């Protein structure tokens, strides 16, 4: 089973949502879950965590650990979705339609939502 399969995405969403619903006024500070030794997809994992934080009504600080290229890519993705008033539900529905065989999650979501 691939990390892009619905059961894996749902598992990761549930894990993140559970962690992010701990009562606290502080923002959630997180990063590339499973993207080191487990070779996870940073674009997929950051999108999952953003959806979970949004549903938990928590501000999200996402740390890219000095990867300036990914930082720029993630910020550009967030800026485009925010400007288009995309909801967490819209983002989730789009995520469920992406093709795991293609590499660029952000590009697929933007295309799916007709934002590019």
């Amino acid at each position: 089973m691939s990390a892009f399969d619905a059961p894996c995405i749902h598992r990761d969403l549930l894990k993140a949502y559970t962690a992010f619903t701990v009562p606290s006024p502080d923002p959630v500070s997180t990063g590339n879950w499973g993207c080191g030794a487990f070779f996870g997809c940073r674009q997929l994992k950051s999108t999952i965590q953003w959806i979970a934080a949004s549903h938990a009504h928590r501000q999200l600080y996402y740390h890219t650990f000095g990867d300036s290229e990914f930082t720029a890519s993630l910020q550009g993705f967030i800026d485009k979705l925010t400007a288009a008033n995309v909801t967490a539900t819209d983002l989730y529905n789009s995520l469920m339609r992406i093709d795991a065989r293609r590499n660029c999650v952000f590009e697929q979501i933007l295309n799916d939502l007709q934002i590019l």
Side-chain angles (χ1 to χ4, degrees):
M1 188 175 304
S2 161
F4 290 89
D5 292 335
C8 290
I9 291 173
H10 292 148
R11 179 201 63 215
D12 285 351
L13 276 166
L14 182 58
K15 285 192 301 187
Y17 180 77
T18 300
F20 299 166
T21 55
V22 172
S24 173
D26 298 325
V28 171
S29 184
T30 188
N32 301 327
W33 286 6
C35 297
F38 297 104
F39 305 105
C41 173
R42 294 174 300 174
Q43 291 187 4
L44 175 64
K45 298 298 185 172
S46 61
T47 301
I48 288 170
Q49 290 178 70
W50 188 19
I51 293 168
S54 295
H55 277 287
H57 305 288
R58 296 287 299 278
Q59 186 176 8
L60 183 69
Y61 290 163
Y62 196 91
H63 301 275
T64 61
F65 303 99
D67 185 338
S68 58
E69 185 177 321
F70 184 62
T71 299
S73 178
L74 178 59
Q75 189 61 59
F77 179 65
I78 290 168
D79 291 346
K80 287 176 183 177
L81 293 177
T82 301
N85 295 314
V86 172
T87 67
T89 300
D90 296 333
L91 187 54
Y92 167 80
N93 289 333
S94 182
L95 183 60
M96 292 290 91
R97 293 188 290 266
I98 65 169
D99 182 352
R101 295 169 296 179
R102 293 187 53 218
N103 202 12
C104 190
V105 172
F106 294 166
E107 182 180 312
Q108 288 186 72
I109 289 171
L110 293 172
N111 280 328
D112 180 68
L113 296 172
Q114 300 178 341
I115 295 175
L116 284 179

